[in-house]
Amino acid sequence: MESIQFGRRVRYWRTRRGMEQQTLATLMGRSLRWVEELEGGRRQADPNLSVVRQVALRLGITVDRLLADPAVLCPTEPEVEAVRAALHRHDVLTGWSQDASAEPVPVEMLRRILEHARAGFQAGHFAQLGVQIPALLVDATSAADRHRGAERLKACALLSLSLELAEAAAVKWGDSELAVLAGHRAVAAAERSEDPVIMASAARHLADAMTHHGQAAAAVTFATAAARRLQDDLLRRDADGLSVLGMLWLKAAMAQAAAVEADDDQPDVLARRVPDLLDQADEHAVRLGADGNALWTAFGPTNCHLYRVAAHVYLSEGADALAVAASIPGHAVGALPRERRAHLLTDRARAETQTGQREAAVETLLEAERSAPEEVLCRPRSRQLIEDLRLLGAGRAEGRLHALANRCGLPR
């Protein structure tokens, strides 16, 4: 278990026991600082088993429950609010560094911190981002303000990418307003970087946030405008450029599918444009030649198939979604980041529900849970699907569905 996840569980159970940090420190024979660092995930990469046993004893729970209770995986309201508060800080909002005497974080160190946080996201660890993102935003803002020349441009790019991470996390947490706020800031920082790849990356994230916030038609317009504006520059930037350009078309396709759902006048007309947008992305995936992960896009032919599945689900075309999902080679899915694999499985479960295969949908959700628990147990869209299945009934999978709902913390 990662130290951040373990620290979250310790904090959860200490709070649930009504215990102050100093009380736990005294029971453990440790300092208050030791407990603060333990709960913040800063003590060690892999908690020592003797420490785990002692903490479990003092908190009055079994080691298994301390290490494996899924409900503790989900972000708490204070963690989400910490990201919102960071975005509203004067220095982060204005781009002005408060402490002129302190040296800014070196660009390469900032890049490593961002890469670690992004790796956690792609592994499906979304809750821990509530701890990581606020400090990252403050440090990246200071770096973008204090560095000069080429280092400043790099720092602006890293600030934009950090704001993108805040947007992506907010989408996973189901807070579309926070996602849009972070997305707008990412676009502004990207323009300061003067890097078309960063601009396109920020644009695809903002389009995604707008779609989740009920602004799908505007998201299509924004994403396609960004793609056309930046295309010539991106085509000269090899894998990075092709990947973010392809992702812009994928986000435009998803926004178009969402716009169909919201339109009562001509949904069929709007739906016919979705395949065209997906085809645009496919062209860039073919040109790229293989699956990759430039700028954490996971872009390539396989991810294009994943978005095609998702688009069919959005359009309530469950049978078509399942046909596309079945055509994706298993080895290609296995090579994707855990977050992408679990996302595909939850989309497949939704398609199975749409086609009346509710027992299969439960089994698919359980497979997704094994891949990335937070994608199933914490995401509002997944929890809603589980609730729908409970109302519809899942036949012989009823018991497994009930247990899954319990792990989600859904009311009985």
Side-chain angles (χ1 to χ4, degrees), residues 105-116 118 133 136-144 147 150-166 185-186 189-190 192-195 198-199 201 295-296:
V105 176
V107 167
E108 284 309 309
M109 181 180 295
L110 194 62
R111 188 186 307 280
R112 288 194 296 272
I113 295 170
L114 175 63
E115 287 173 350
H116 175 73
R118 264 295 187 176
I133 288 172
L136 180 59
L137 293 179
V138 172
D139 288 342
T141 299
S142 175
H147 284 297
E151 291 297 285
R152 168 175 272 185
L153 296 179
K154 293 176 185 176
C156 288
L158 291 171
L159 173 58
S160 180
L161 293 170
S162 300
L163 287 159
E164 286 180 17
L165 179 59
R185 303 277 186 83
R192 290 169 56 200
S193 78
E194 302 179 12
D195 186 337
I198 302 299
M199 296 175 195
S201 183
L295 258 69
W296 305 285

Side-chain angles (χ1 to χ4, degrees), residues 356-388:
Q357 303 174 62
R358 294 192 289 274
E359 290 181 19
V362 173
E363 298 304 325
T364 301
L365 284 170
L366 293 174
E367 184 181 350
E369 183 191 12
R370 289 190 292 272
S371 180
E374 291 181 48
E375 184 73 35
V376 177
L377 303 179
C378 304
R379 280 204 74 182
R381 72 188 293 271
S382 302
R383 291 161 63 90
Q384 183 59 58
L385 175 58
I386 293 166
E387 183 60 31
D388 291 347

